[in-house]
Amino acid sequence: MIIVLKRDATDAQIDHVVKKVKDLGLSVHLSKGSERSIIGAIGDEAVLTSTPLDAFPGVEKVMPILKPYKLVSRDFQKEDSVIDIKGVKVGGKQVQVISGPCSIENKSILLEVAKEVKKSGATLLRGGAFKPRTSPYDFQGLGEEGLKYLREVGDETGMPVVTELMDPRDIDLICRYADVIQIGARNMQNFRLLKEVGKTDKAILLKRGLSATIKEFLMSAEYIASMGNRNIILCERGIRTYETATRNTLDLSAIPVLRELCHLPIVVDPSHAVGRWDLVAPMAKAAIAAGADGLMIETHANPEEALCDGAQSLKPNKFDRLMGELRRVAEAVDRTL
Amino acid sequence: MIIVLKRDATDAQIDHVVKKVKDLGLSVHLSKGSERSIIGAIGDEAVLTSTPLDAFPGVEKVMPILKPYKLVSRDFQKEDSVIDIKGVKVGGKQVQVISGPCSIENKSILLEVAKEVKKSGATLLRGGAFKPRTSPYDFQGLGEEGLKYLREVGDETGMPVVTELMDPRDIDLICRYADVIQIGARNMQNFRLLKEVGKTDKAILLKRGLSATIKEFLMSAEYIASMGNRNIILCERGIRTYETATRNTLDLSAIPVLRELCHLPIVVDPSHAVGRWDLVAPMAKAAIAAGADGLMIETHANPEEALCDGAQSLKPNKFDRLMGELRRVAEAVDRTL
Amino acid sequence: MIIVLKRDATDAQIDHVVKKVKDLGLSVHLSKGSERSIIGAIGDEAVLTSTPLDAFPGVEKVMPILKPYKLVSRDFQKEDSVIDIKGVKVGGKQVQVISGPCSIENKSILLEVAKEVKKSGATLLRGGAFKPRTSPYDFQGLGEEGLKYLREVGDETGMPVVTELMDPRDIDLICRYADVIQIGARNMQNFRLLKEVGKTDKAILLKRGLSATIKEFLMSAEYIASMGNRNIILCERGIRTYETATRNTLDLSAIPVLRELCHLPIVVDPSHAVGRWDLVAPMAKAAIAAGADGLMIETHANPEEALCDGAQSLKPNKFDRLMGELRRVAEAVDRTL
Amino acid sequence: MIIVLKRDATDAQIDHVVKKVKDLGLSVHLSKGSERSIIGAIGDEAVLTSTPLDAFPGVEKVMPILKPYKLVSRDFQKEDSVIDIKGVKVGGKQVQVISGPCSIENKSILLEVAKEVKKSGATLLRGGAFKPRTSPYDFQGLGEEGLKYLREVGDETGMPVVTELMDPRDIDLICRYADVIQIGARNMQNFRLLKEVGKTDKAILLKRGLSATIKEFLMSAEYIASMGNRNIILCERGIRTYETATRNTLDLSAIPVLRELCHLPIVVDPSHAVGRWDLVAPMAKAAIAAGADGLMIETHANPEEALCDGAQSLKPNKFDRLMGELRRVAEAVDRTL
């Protein structure tokens, strides 16, 4: 950690900081410059982060050198992690496509769309039984009934299933039915939820929060990993910016940045990012070209009647055409799909 | 709701939209213009919001006319709500100041700071027993032990107490000890938590999410109100912007905007917004000048040793001086403190 | 234009608004609802935009129906515009790549890199003679000397040349040397500059401002077009968001959105968006997959010695490899390169 | 400057960086740690900023220690600057209020409003003759005719006048008529304009760009100062964020932050920030409470007929009432008005 002192910091102030750093067990290199004096604190930086050195008299700013996440970092593990979900490998050469409706409405609709997307090449089935809705007056999901349908349809079509956990009290219920537990964007810093899924051995699909930095995103992954579960898939799904032409701004540069910092697989959800079905195709192609390990694309047999997010859902025939286009892009970057 | 059609929308497409709107029980006014045709849907707009009309063929955009929140709106209640917490009235002429440490560390430190801030004029005591920390390796709070200390110190000093709920499983525990339940910024859209506190009769301090719009903020308040609890206090605590000179950007214009749209009292937390104790004083004064009903200011007897957020905590003597300054500003806008 | 009235708007207030709209030559449709009354103003919306109807007593909000840009819109011209720059067609099937150094340093370095990028497939040469630098103490460009080198090197290698105009006083100078005039991101709303280039017949490369909405971006293009020059190329180059892992956030969803609203060709500058050469390749591929008509990629023979933006410049050998990869992605989306 | 090396940086890479830093005339302190090695470069940091060290092989990140601005910094000048404009002192104990219409429409309207605001206590008169309008079809200002009216009205009422410069070609014209030259938000990084006004001895009102960081804002002030003109007034006028309830988000925490870093006076323009006249009053009061040295408030005798920004303009009677309220807040923070 580098501690930059104010121009007019007194010797007593400097000594006070130096003493504190030493008391915490680190060694100190003090460099007195004409413009600014600087303290280099050498040793375990973690013990310093909970000490408010930036509020000490005479301190101008504190600059950490090391990253605050460990288990999920490339420093910890050089090789890419590959998450195996009943034989579907996320993080390998094949780009995996998760598809299905936003919310589970009944079994027959779900089965219809599942068969279609499976035929088109999707390898994982998604569907929400508990829905985080902005309005208390909107459809909140079918609950356990929905989970049952999802499990049955997943089994009938041979696709592992992904569904969202919103409440730590539902952890056992979700674990009974799901192969992959999704943590939604709004819960990326719901630390209790992160700890709960960290205690399971399920694969966890962690969505980036609407205003989460890459560092915070990785810290949330670290929460899960620190509890013992390293089966984590990161999901970029658009961030909140000033631009309103799309619902959110899909941050595809997060893919190569995460790739460098972290060994976990990265999937992209263009549907939630753009919020309009007609923009999903170009952004899905771009995500693969940028290096995504997978995609999450909402589909619905009849979007006009969907109880949730109909505007961004693709009909099966449009999804099928898109999958053909995606396959070509995947091959152009030496991946399969 | 106004539905704007594409320039080249066909009659069949227009008829299809009109039919859908009528099927939902609304009446329709169709206006065919030279540039664009427009459908006005008259009646209960809520039934339309869950139908993805913007994805219907021929539709360019959909513009809601009414606000999606009801119970918390000025339309619903003209007069300002005043929340009474054991005699401390939030939303009246008196500006209330909530103070105390970020996290409860032990009883004696808490008692020391509580006595001090009470003497300076604070009327509510805050302290965290469960802490949402970005890093899993940071201090997570004392749990129930902390709640006990908070309750005891609140009783000894005669101040109602505020503490954060992070997990729906802790609701009964928190209710046993707290007078005001805080929902933190990261949980503003933790809808399960909102529903739980909506079932209690405690006062709820709802913090604005880091990237929450004013509309989303009010929708979260609506969640609580829709479950029956209208004892809601809104708290502006800074939003995430591109600027990094302060931790967040305190959005004081939210105060008059919320005042116009909503009848609930509004408090401001300058400590978390700016993240540096030396910036707290000007922003606290500005908040009162802009019309805030209360402030939440972190204090600590020894910020350098604080286990959490020491950099933004005021020492009791600085807090005391600030309270004197705040009193003058409050009087200048016809409030007391 | 739709004018939504406040719930408690009086008849006198409504009459006042109606009269104003009629006085401006529009016809009025008034719809009195139980929750809100609404005025539809039918006719030339432009006359209303400069009248502050939203500040009239009794008015809650004003919602425009039509787009404020005309000449650059799809409504005005259905077919894609193709800009022909001495035979290099931007906006057709071929993806064009503009390359060269950030700033022109001397002729021999420029010639060296120009020959290399031409060999790799670049079709337009870029180089800055006037540099907008954040610091007054940084290298500001060679001025006319640089323009001469650029022209000579462009002629010797057979590549049309692109350079930035910063000052309306330089318009004649720039026009003598350049084939394409670049308007930088910081000048996107320098309306005087827009008007000047609108009077020329040069191709204009208009970069999106750091915090410009898509609508504002198109309004700036409209400025140029309104002066008579329709040879406009739009350039997405990253927007400012809270994320600091990359210099800016490349908004690739702007490509399909602009494609729908506007007939002008769209190029992407990944170098400035990400600010690091090692992130350029994935974002360049993503841009083509998302539908870009061209790319602008900074190259330098020796980035370590570059006077400007060395960190984001590719060496010629890395550029060559990238061009091979881009060709494959272009073919996968039915384009050439 | 601190240069953090990658975990796997080779000795050759480290030597290469060390050599480069030494070649630039700085001395080097190399600290080899178990996690990361670090190079401290001691000496004139400015020579390093134009070298892309962050792109050197083996380098993870580069962290500057010093601030890139000098003349405008507190390090350079401890005491607050006071700018004297024909006797009106900006930066002293008195809070100065600049008022007048957005654009000058004719002399009689301007004179009417000028007399009124003067009577209410405004000390500087504003009015635009050249208007930066988002749409080319909107009123662009009266040009020199407007400047004449402004000068005449300023002289008749005894108020120094403020007007905006948009084009370096207008510098002589503006200097003939104006006492204070305004650089608008959209031109904050129009470096040519900054250099031109830097050559004059006029007071310069520099508005913060919509997405400018505090550091960039000060760098633009440094541009002006570096040309010799230190009569600079900084103006916070709202930044662009995701929130759309107000036109921009007024960043009042910029006031204490700028105060610490810089010796120049700071004024606030609440009118442009919020975009609605009914929000101006609370934000003006908050600005004074936060420590602003002045305010810029738009007024118009008849906002409903204003050619520009009518929605945010106060009528003279409302302005007069506001001035009374502001006086009380100013006194509460030991200022006059």
Side-chain angles (χ1 to χ4, degrees), chain A residues 105-153:
Chain A
E105 296 165 12
N106 64 50
K107 187 176 166 186
S108 66
I109 292 184
L110 182 63
L111 184 60
E112 182 188 346
V113 87
K115 283 179 177 170
E116 296 269 13
V117 299
K118 162 99 180 183
K119 205 169 58 188
S120 302
T123 48
L124 292 152
L125 179 66
R126 62 153 288 156
F130 300 105
K131 298 302 306 171
R133 303 304 298 271
T134 311
S135 169
Y137 309 117
D138 284 346
F139 177 62
Q140 308 272 322
L142 289 184
E144 183 166 7
E145 187 189 350
L147 292 175
K148 278 181 190 157
Y149 298 154
L150 182 65
R151 183 72 268 162
E152 289 168 15
V153 170

Side-chain angles (χ1 to χ4, degrees), chain B residues 71-72 83 181 194-204 221-232 264:
Chain B
L71 305 173
V72 302
I83 312 296
I181 304 176
L194 299 179
K195 286 184 178 175
E196 284 302 327
V197 298
K199 290 184 215 156
T200 74
D201 59 359
K202 296 279 179 182
I204 310 301
E222 183 82 10
Y223 252 94
I224 298 169
S226 73
M227 300 301 290
N229 186 353
R230 308 233 177 125
N231 297 314
I232 306 164
L264 300 171

Side-chain angles (χ1 to χ4, degrees), chain C residues 110-127:
Chain C
L110 182 63
L111 184 60
E112 183 187 345
V113 87
K115 282 179 179 170
E116 296 269 14
V117 299
K118 163 99 180 184
K119 205 169 59 186
S120 302
T123 49
L124 292 153
L125 179 66
R126 63 153 290 157

Side-chain angles (χ1 to χ4, degrees), chain C residues 16 20 49-52 54-57 68 70-71 130 132-138 140 166-170 186-187 189-192 195-196 210-213 216 219 222-223 226 240 277 303-307 310-311, chain D residues 16 20 49-52 54-57 68 70-71 130 132-138 140 166-170 186-187 189-192 195-196 210-213 216 219 222-223 226 240 277 303-307 310-311:
Chain C
H16 178 62
K20 181 73 190 179
T49 54
S50 39
T51 302
D54 40 347
F56 275 50
K70 297 183 179 85
L71 304 173
F130 300 105
R133 302 303 297 272
T134 310
S135 169
Y137 309 118
D138 284 347
Q140 308 272 321
M166 281 178 65
D167 188 325
R169 294 171 299 187
D170 296 332
R186 283 170 185 76
N187 281 315
Q189 291 193 316
N190 184 335
F191 301 116
R192 290 299 183 87
K195 286 184 178 176
E196 283 302 327
L210 266 77
S211 61
T213 61
E216 289 168 341
M219 287 308 287
E222 184 81 10
Y223 252 95
S226 74
R240 182 155 276 177
W277 68 266
E304 294 191 358
E305 302 297 331
L307 295 177
Chain D
H16 179 60
K20 181 75 192 179
T49 55
S50 39
T51 302
D54 42 346
F56 275 49
K70 296 182 178 84
L71 305 173
F130 300 104
R133 303 303 298 271
T134 310
S135 168
Y137 309 118
D138 284 347
Q140 308 273 319
M166 281 178 65
D167 188 326
R169 294 171 300 187
D170 297 333
R186 283 170 185 77
N187 281 317
Q189 291 193 316
N190 184 334
F191 302 114
R192 292 295 185 90
K195 285 184 180 178
E196 284 302 327
L210 267 77
S211 61
T213 60
E216 289 168 341
M219 286 308 288
E222 183 81 10
Y223 252 95
S226 74
R240 182 155 275 177
W277 68 265
E304 292 191 359
E305 301 296 333
L307 295 177

